[in-house]
Amino acid sequence: MKFMKLGSKPDSFQAEGDNIRYVATELATDIAIIVGDVKFCLHKFPLLSKSARLQKLVSIMNEESGDEIQIGDIPGGPAAFEVCIKFCYGMTVTLNAYNVVATRCAAEYLEMYESVEKGNLIYKIEVFLSSSIFRSWKDSIIVLQTTRSLHPWSDELKIVNRCLDSIALKASMDTSKVDWSYTYNRKKLPSENGSGDETTHWNGMMKQQLVPRDWWVEDICDLQLELYKRVIATIKMKGLVPSEVIGEALQAYALRRLPGFSKGVIHSNDVGKHRALVETILRLLPLEKGSVSCGFMLRLLRAAVLLECSEVERNNLMGQISLQLDEASVGDLLFRAPPGEAMIYDVDTVEKLVEGFVSSQQSDEISRENEFGEIKNSPVVPDPRARLVKLVDSYLAEISRDQNLPCAKFVNLATMVSGFPRLTHDGIYRAIDMYLKEHPEISKSDKKRICKLMDCSKLSADACLHAVQNERLPLRVVVQVLFFEQARASTLSAGVPMGSLLPAGGSHGSSRSAATTNTEDEWEGVPTHEEIRVLKGQLAALRLSSTSDRIGPEGHCRVGEKAASGHSNNNNKMKGLLNPKIFFRLWSSKDRQGGGELSSSDTSDSPGSGNAAETKLTPSRSRRHSVS
């Protein structure tokens, strides 16, 4: 810390009790000045030679024949006044970052100008501020903190603005030029104390400690909200600090000033204070996409909801979050529902965020089309839409544990991202399975709506293995899984075309076409549960022999990607795995049970067609099929 000593005489101030201060000299005091609740017994001559205001007050006192002067509004109070008086007496005083602003304001009040005497106190303080205080990072912050209690004097004297400029310029410096201890709030590293092996280069020279771009963010967290806001605004105005570093600074301040913020709660009864803090941070957030992490913004949104911040600020924040929602985690999205709600989680807020993301992606596609004429996905940059689909699938699986979650909300949220690319439907299958497990009373129509979200042809081998043994799925869905798994195996098996699964002239289209083109009784009969059990067992035995068991302990699906080599090892076993008679009795009987387990709508899409071009199904086929 920088300091400056003034004067050379010894300090002869003495105290009499708590409220009387006097100068111990042979000369009797001839003036008493009362500052606040402290009485100073002084001599006129040294005071009047340096203070124009005291000259005026003494002249007024003589006219009124009084012997005391009342000064109740001097900035800095008795302490700052005493420093000024000691300077007048030539006594030794020490100025530092903690008392220099109060002394400067008191000297201004007492009018200790150069016009009164050369080398007066105001001049000396200004030299100290310019040459030492504002050149020091630490002292600039300390001085700025002291200005809070000296308003409006510190503002009128431009001390606050000079501190802000000093701090902003230093925060904007090239880190290679930062040669001071870059934060005084952190513990020194072993290398900085010279105790680590990493302190020297291979040639014995000392290494220079690399300074991170955000070296300053922790230090300014000591500032109160109003001063902090002005510092960040000044740094942003300079335009030299990246928006990502501004975002880091705001996050550090929120973590320091909001107890429980990192855990998504606010531990304080001072709601008004914290509401003002959150709203200030929201106004300071950089607008550039990616400048602030999505997780931090989601925690801000949770705090804004809890503290009932302004709706305008919340809507603006949600707009920013939507632009990079694919970067979020499931835990970030688990907002608690408002008090009085039956559901556990606030799904409506997540729906708005997803809706905003979908809209932004559509706008981006239009912009790219207008600019390049054709949309080309980069093979290097991950598709944010695919990341969002994965996030939504995981979120649906998590909120499905809520027994009060309506089917409509589940379906609506899943449908929002149904147009986005999915490499696999394992995630949505897991969510569907979890919902069916936690909602066993769900109606057949709702079960059909939920299962329609899944494309059975895009399930991995592990997911198929789980699905064919899943008693919670409608039987028709199991049939579809079996069909596409057999189709996939047959295409990977040399010499086993898809057409070999069908009888000559047969169709694997809708159940109505199957019923009309196959007139033999063996195709029209209703399959028994024993046949279903055997069929499932054959496929399960095959999969279990070639893959490790990945089914979770709770009974829902935990699936991963299946290498294509796993199929080639079982090509011979897949030949003849599914009995065509059993399979088509399953497929064609969906209309034959009025209220049975296999019934479904006549308008359900078929899993394929009789067209020769479509008899060769591949794993990349993305057509969606209706299920019941």
Side-chain angles (χ1 to χ4, degrees):
M1 180 184 296
K2 305 292 185 180
F3 65 92
M4 180 177 69
K5 285 190 175 184
L6 299 175
S8 58
K9 296 180 180 179
D11 185 354
S12 58
F13 260 81
Q14 295 185 10
E16 185 178 318
D18 296 332
N19 300 322
I20 298 179
R21 301 280 289 166
Y22 64 95
V23 181
T25 63
E26 296 178 356
L27 297 176
T29 60
D30 53 6
I31 186 174
I33 301 177
I34 301 175
V35 180
D37 59 350
V38 179
K39 182 177 181 180
F40 291 87
C41 299
L42 307 170
H43 303 85
K44 293 180 181 179
F45 176 74
L47 304 183
L48 303 184
S49 64
K50 291 182 172 60
S51 171
R53 177 177 283 265
L54 289 179
Q55 291 176 8
K56 299 172 186 176
L57 293 175
V58 168
S59 64
I60 296 174
M61 179 188 69
N62 291 335
E63 293 176 359
E64 296 178 352
S65 301
D67 58 355
E68 290 186 353
I69 298 176
Q70 291 278 351
I71 299 179
D73 56 348
I74 185 171
F81 178 76
E82 183 172 331
V83 174
C84 294
I85 296 305
K86 288 181 178 179
F87 174 80
C88 293
Y89 277 93
M91 299 178 188
T92 301
V93 293
T94 301
L95 297 179
N96 54 45
Y98 290 100
N99 66 4
V100 67
V101 177
T103 305
R104 172 67 181 86
C105 294
E108 185 71 23
Y109 178 90
L110 295 174
E111 300 177 10
M112 302 175 74
Y113 303 129
E114 286 293 282
S115 58
V116 178
E117 184 180 83
K118 291 293 183 181
N120 213 338
L121 183 57
I122 290 178
Y123 170 77
K124 292 184 179 296
I125 291 178
E126 287 296 329
V127 171
F128 178 53
L129 289 172
S130 301
S131 63
S132 297
I133 293 295
F134 294 139
R135 292 188 178 186
S136 168
W137 167 255
K138 300 175 184 179
D139 290 343
S140 296
I141 294 176
I142 294 172
V143 165
L144 183 60
Q145 288 176 306
T146 63
T147 61
R148 289 186 64 245
S149 60
L150 297 166
H151 180 78
W153 287 89
S154 56
D155 278 307
E156 293 175 355
L157 295 175
K158 308 299 182 184
I159 296 176
V160 175
N161 288 339
R162 292 159 72 187
C163 284
L164 294 175
D165 285 338
S166 171
I167 294 171
L169 286 173
K170 290 173 175 58
S172 305
M173 284 179 60
D174 186 344
T175 55
S176 63
K177 299 178 181 179
V178 179
D179 55 0
W180 56 81
S181 176
Y182 57 83
T183 172
Y184 63 88
N185 285 326
R186 68 178 180 87
K187 295 180 179 179
K188 286 190 174 183
L189 301 174
S191 59
E192 295 172 303
N193 291 325
S195 59
D197 295 336
E198 66 276 10
T199 57
T200 58
H201 279 303
W202 59 272
N203 59 0
M205 297 295 291
M206 293 293 293
K207 283 198 304 186
Q208 182 179 4
Q209 179 68 33
L210 296 178
V211 178
R213 294 190 305 172
D214 61 346
W215 61 269
W216 50 271
V217 301
E218 290 288 342
D219 293 343
I220 64 172
C221 287
D222 291 336
L223 297 173
Q224 295 299 317
L225 180 60
E226 186 61 31
L227 293 176
Y228 181 86
K229 178 178 67 175
R230 296 179 67 175
V231 167
I232 294 296
T234 306
I235 292 174
K236 292 175 69 174
M237 185 178 63
K238 300 291 183 184
L240 299 176
V241 176
S243 57
E244 294 83 358
V245 180
I246 299 294
E248 286 292 329
L250 295 174
Q251 182 170 353
Y253 193 74
L255 291 171
R256 177 79 68 86
R257 295 287 178 170
L258 289 173
F261 176 77
S262 60
K263 298 180 181 179
V265 294
I266 305 298
H267 297 302
S268 175
N269 295 325
D270 197 345
V271 175
K273 174 183 175 182
H274 288 145
R275 182 189 298 119
L277 191 152
V278 171
E279 289 181 346
T280 298
I281 292 177
L282 293 181
R283 297 188 190 102
L284 292 173
L285 283 178
L287 299 179
E288 295 82 0
K289 179 181 178 181
S291 58
V292 184
S293 70
C294 188
F296 171 55
M297 288 193 292
L298 284 166
R299 288 196 294 273
L300 274 179
L301 179 59
R302 184 181 284 111
V305 173
L306 291 174
L307 297 170
E308 299 179 351
C309 293
S310 131
E311 186 175 354
V312 174
E313 302 294 345
R314 280 188 282 173
N315 290 337
N316 291 338
L317 177 61
M318 290 179 68
Q320 282 189 263
I321 295 173
S322 296
L323 296 178
Q324 52 194 87
L325 185 61
D326 57 298
E327 302 171 7
S329 66
V330 175
D332 294 332
L333 297 178
L334 295 178
F335 298 100
R336 302 294 295 186
E341 291 281 342
M343 293 190 301
I344 299 175
Y345 301 110
D346 182 3
V347 182
D348 293 337
T349 297
V350 177
E351 284 184 350
K352 292 178 182 178
L353 294 175
V354 174
E355 183 179 1
F357 180 89
V358 173
S359 299
S360 68
Q361 289 297 309
Q362 292 173 348
S363 300
D364 291 344
E365 288 181 2
I366 294 174
S367 300
R368 290 196 297 269
E369 284 180 337
N370 294 336
E371 184 175 356
F372 301 107
E374 181 182 359
I375 299 177
K376 295 182 179 179
N377 292 326
S378 172
V380 178
V381 180
D383 190 344
R385 298 175 301 171
R387 291 199 299 264
L388 184 75
V389 168
K390 185 177 180 180
L391 174 66
V392 171
D393 289 347
S394 299
Y395 176 75
L396 288 171
E398 189 66 30
I399 64 174
S400 292
R401 303 174 189 272
D402 181 3
Q403 295 185 354
N404 293 321
L405 176 67
C407 174
K409 288 192 176 293
F410 184 99
V411 173
N412 290 343
L413 185 54
T415 304
M416 285 184 180
V417 297
S418 60
F420 287 172
R422 267 190 175 101
L423 296 178
T424 174
H425 276 230
D426 289 5
I428 189 62
Y429 167 61
R430 177 175 179 267
I432 291 171
D433 180 44
M434 177 61 71
Y435 190 87
L436 295 178
K437 177 184 177 183
E438 298 295 335
H439 301 78
E441 75 291 346
I442 187 174
S443 66
K444 290 184 179 180
S445 60
D446 284 343
K447 184 178 291 188
K448 179 179 179 179
R449 290 175 62 196
I450 288 182
C451 290
K452 274 186 177 181
L453 300 169
M454 176 179 60
D455 188 345
C456 297
S457 67
K458 290 189 176 182
L459 294 179
S460 68
D462 287 343
C464 288
L465 176 60
H466 186 275
V468 297
Q469 301 176 87
N470 192 344
E471 298 294 337
R472 292 184 284 272
L473 292 177
L475 194 54
R476 178 170 173 78
V477 177
V478 177
V479 173
Q480 284 186 324
V481 173
L482 291 169
F483 173 80
F484 288 113
E485 187 63 14
Q486 176 67 2
R488 174 161 46 191
S490 65
T491 58
L492 295 175
S493 179
V496 183
M498 184 66 183
S500 66
L501 294 174
L502 305 175
S507 170
H508 59 278
S510 68
S511 61
R512 188 173 299 281
S513 64
T516 57
T517 57
N518 300 284
T519 58
E520 297 182 22
D521 291 341
E522 61 184 357
W523 299 110
E524 297 179 354
V526 177
T528 65
H529 285 282
E530 180 63 22
E531 289 172 331
I532 295 294
R533 187 187 63 78
V534 172
L535 202 56
K536 290 182 180 179
Q538 288 176 328
L539 185 59
L542 177 63
R543 292 301 174 206
L544 288 172
S545 66
S546 59
T547 62
S548 60
D549 184 12
R550 299 184 183 182
I551 309 304
E554 297 182 1
H556 56 274
C557 181
R558 289 191 312 183
V559 295
E561 295 184 355
K562 176 69 177 175
S565 59
H567 290 289
S568 61
N569 294 335
N570 297 295
N571 283 340
N572 293 331
K573 294 182 181 181
M574 287 302 296
K575 295 180 181 180
L577 171 64
L578 296 183
N579 187 328
K581 293 183 179 181
I582 297 178
F583 180 81
F584 280 103
R585 286 172 68 186
L586 283 169
W587 197 262
S588 63
S589 61
K590 71 183 183 72
D591 290 326
R592 304 198 180 278
Q593 297 292 324
E597 189 177 10
L598 293 172
S599 64
S600 68
S601 172
D602 289 342
T603 60
S604 297
D605 295 339
S606 64
S609 70
N611 191 310
E614 294 198 17
T615 58
K616 296 181 179 180
L617 300 179
T618 64
S620 63
R621 181 162 180 168
S622 60
R623 184 174 179 182
R624 188 177 298 280
H625 304 278
S626 298
V627 293
S628 61

